[in-house]
Amino acid sequence: MINKNYLKLPGSYLFATIGRKVNEFTQANPDKSIIRLGIGDVSLPLAPAIVNAIHEAADEMGKAETFHGYPDYEGCDFLREAIIANDYKTRGVDLGMDEIFVNDGAKCDSADLGQIFSKDVKVAVCDPVYPVYVDSNAMAGRAGDYQEDKQYWSNLIYMPCTQENGFAPEIPSERPDVIYLCFPNNPTGATIKKDQLQKWVDYANEVGAVIIFDAAYEAYISEDDVPHSIYECEGAKKCAIEMRSFSKNAGFTGMRLGFTVVPKELERDGVSLNWMWLKHQETSFNGVSYVVQKAGAAVYTPEGKQQTTQQVAYYMKNAKYIREGLLKAGFEASGGVNAPYVWLKTPNGMTSWEFFDYLLENANVVGTPGSGFGPHGEGFFRLTGFGNYENTVEAIRRIQNL
């Protein structure tokens, strides 16, 4: 009766396990001051332009003549127009309104996109990887069986991201049907240049694969030769779906807003994936609240752009401080340049979870064990720049004094 694929999942969700361990430590050590640099949650309040838009939208909802009921499945026109004008036209990408699907955060679509593919498609993921890509395919029955000794799922294609290849995946020898790519990368903070991404697009078009491209952290890109969208690459509309989020660029982790781009040129087996995703939305989703969408549109106003850009710079200042502080302390660390994540090698041969416990107990600092992102994450650790600056400075001081 039940979907027994759920029973194959190994243990609890990564961040649930972290939360449990931190809670246990806090209860046993109530006098300790914990600094959390683990989960990728923002810490700054919403920008004033966004807050003003929320108030104005709430006032509209309180008047009969401006009240809004169910929103459109694809999203309000004013928000989709702003997305197209600011995120794509400025980069030479032309998209239609009906190719943008507003959602309540990229995580949901990361999982739900699998519903438009058959159960027997071959899926390729980076290793380490954002866990949702793997777990959602496991729950759908595509991942096969979990092999505890290898920490691999039997039916997935793993693309190792290591120090040797700059934490960027290489095109797999086995042909995939669906390829998950995330750049700037979570968890490693790595990026690839446009010519490298173009090779993935060319490969996907050659073999008929679909790329699911997670660009949730594009606002943190600082280098000119790093693409912000996969559609900057020629032919990408024929093979790629792109996801974006307002959580990291505008602090909407508690508001829930994002969008997915499914181009009309993207077809497989003679069927439009755009049409399929529209059917999914119409069936499974009632849209994002009007108030939240008005807040999202405020991100694209001159004031919103200025204020959110300042917030991104704040988090990147933290990330830079973490990276430079770790390097000064003798750690091997990368990331923190085009992404708010710093990826460090655990010292003295410690496993990822051993270092997690060591850091929690001796520095009272919380990070994320790399092994939670996949087998090639073992021996590495993720710290985020999303805390406040004072806590970030104190956390690095504690680590340096270990």
Side-chain angles (χ1 to χ4, degrees):
M1 176 179 286
I2 65 169
N3 181 353
K4 294 186 178 180
N5 291 306
Y6 279 65
L7 305 180
K8 298 178 180 180
L9 294 171
S12 62
Y13 184 58
L14 170 62
F15 296 105
T17 301
I18 291 173
R20 176 183 56 78
K21 291 174 77 73
V22 173
N23 287 338
E24 290 173 354
F25 180 84
T26 301
Q27 290 174 6
N29 302 274
D31 59 321
K32 301 294 185 182
S33 173
I34 305 297
I35 298 178
R36 301 171 187 263
L37 299 181
I39 194 168
D41 197 0
V42 296
S43 57
L44 294 175
L46 294 171
I50 296 169
V51 174
N52 290 338
I54 294 172
H55 287 307
E56 292 173 3
D59 288 340
E60 290 182 50
M61 295 296 281
K63 300 175 183 178
E65 60 272 22
T66 53
F67 174 79
H68 296 266
Y70 284 123
D72 293 335
Y73 299 112
E74 304 98 317
C76 295
D77 287 355
F78 61 78
L79 178 55
R80 288 185 291 157
E81 288 171 353
I83 288 169
I84 291 171
N86 292 275
D87 289 331
Y88 292 101
K89 282 190 176 179
T90 55
R91 303 197 179 280
V93 178
D94 291 322
L95 291 173
M97 290 269 287
D98 52 3
E99 295 176 302
I100 306 290
F101 297 85
V102 176
N103 59 41
D104 56 355
K107 183 177 181 180
C108 291
D109 281 6
S110 296
D112 290 348
L113 278 166
Q115 294 185 34
I116 66 175
F117 299 105
S118 67
K119 184 178 177 180
D120 59 354
V121 296
K122 201 70 175 179
V123 175
V125 296
C126 295
D127 177 22
V129 65
Y130 179 46
V132 174
Y133 309 154
V134 172
D135 291 354
S136 60
N137 279 288
M139 290 186 286
R142 297 188 190 93
D145 296 314
Y146 187 69
Q147 301 174 341
E148 187 71 38
D149 56 335
K150 298 179 180 178
Q151 298 184 357
Y152 270 19
W153 290 88
S154 59
N155 285 352
L156 294 182
I157 299 172
Y158 286 87
M159 303 181 292
C161 301
T162 65
Q163 277 185 304
E164 289 71 28
N165 61 19
F167 301 107
E170 298 172 3
I171 291 174
S173 56
E174 184 179 359
R175 178 192 171 281
D177 299 300
V178 178
I179 304 167
Y180 287 83
L181 295 178
C182 175
F183 291 108
N185 186 260
N186 176 17
T188 67
T191 54
I192 59 176
K193 301 185 187 303
K194 184 178 178 180
D195 60 340
Q196 293 174 288
L197 186 56
Q198 182 67 58
K199 291 179 181 178
W200 282 99
V201 169
D202 294 342
Y203 171 74
N205 281 323
E206 177 185 345
V207 302
V210 174
I211 296 173
I212 298 178
F213 189 76
D214 187 343
Y217 298 92
E218 64 80 28
Y220 291 83
I221 294 172
S222 62
E223 296 178 322
D224 293 336
D225 54 355
V226 175
H228 289 249
S229 168
I230 194 169
Y231 302 121
E232 295 177 45
C233 296
E234 184 178 353
K237 290 183 183 179
K238 295 182 179 180
C239 68
I241 295 171
E242 180 167 290
M243 299 179 296
R244 295 280 189 100
S245 171
F246 286 78
S247 289
K248 314 304 182 182
N249 68 324
F252 276 47
T253 53
M255 295 278 287
R256 311 311 305 143
L257 184 66
F259 62 91
T260 294
V261 181
V262 187
K264 285 196 163 184
E265 294 179 39
L266 178 53
E267 296 184 357
R268 290 297 180 269
D269 299 330
V271 179
S272 164
L273 270 62
N274 178 282
W275 174 83
M276 292 183 71
W277 190 242
L278 175 60
K279 296 299 107 181
H280 172 275
Q281 295 297 83
E282 291 175 346
T283 303
S284 304
F285 190 59
N286 259 343
V288 177
S289 80
Y290 174 76
V291 174
V292 172
Q293 292 195 62
K294 287 291 284 188
V299 174
Y300 297 106
T301 64
E303 298 82 8
K305 288 180 182 178
Q306 180 186 30
Q307 293 162 8
T308 56
T309 297
Q310 289 174 348
Q311 291 187 341
V312 167
Y314 179 92
Y315 294 132
M316 286 307 296
K317 178 182 178 182
N318 290 347
K320 180 180 179 181
Y321 192 91
I322 292 170
R323 182 173 182 270
E324 293 181 349
L326 290 173
L327 292 173
K328 184 177 180 180
F331 287 88
E332 295 181 53
S334 59
V337 176
N338 295 295
Y341 295 124
V342 177
W343 189 242
L344 64 117
K345 191 169 184 178
T346 57
N348 305 319
M350 288 185 184
T351 68
S352 298
W353 280 107
E354 285 174 346
F355 187 64
F356 174 91
D357 292 335
Y358 175 78
L359 208 59
L360 178 60
E361 293 169 7
N362 295 280
N364 308 144
V365 172
V366 178
T368 309
S371 60
F373 298 102
H376 277 88
E378 181 56 86
F380 289 88
F381 202 77
R382 192 191 75 175
L383 295 176
T384 87
F386 284 123
N388 68 55
Y389 183 72
E390 292 74 20
N391 282 349
T392 298
V393 171
E394 172 61 16
I396 295 304
R397 185 195 67 79
R398 294 181 187 180
I399 293 173
Q400 290 175 335
N401 288 337
L402 289 174

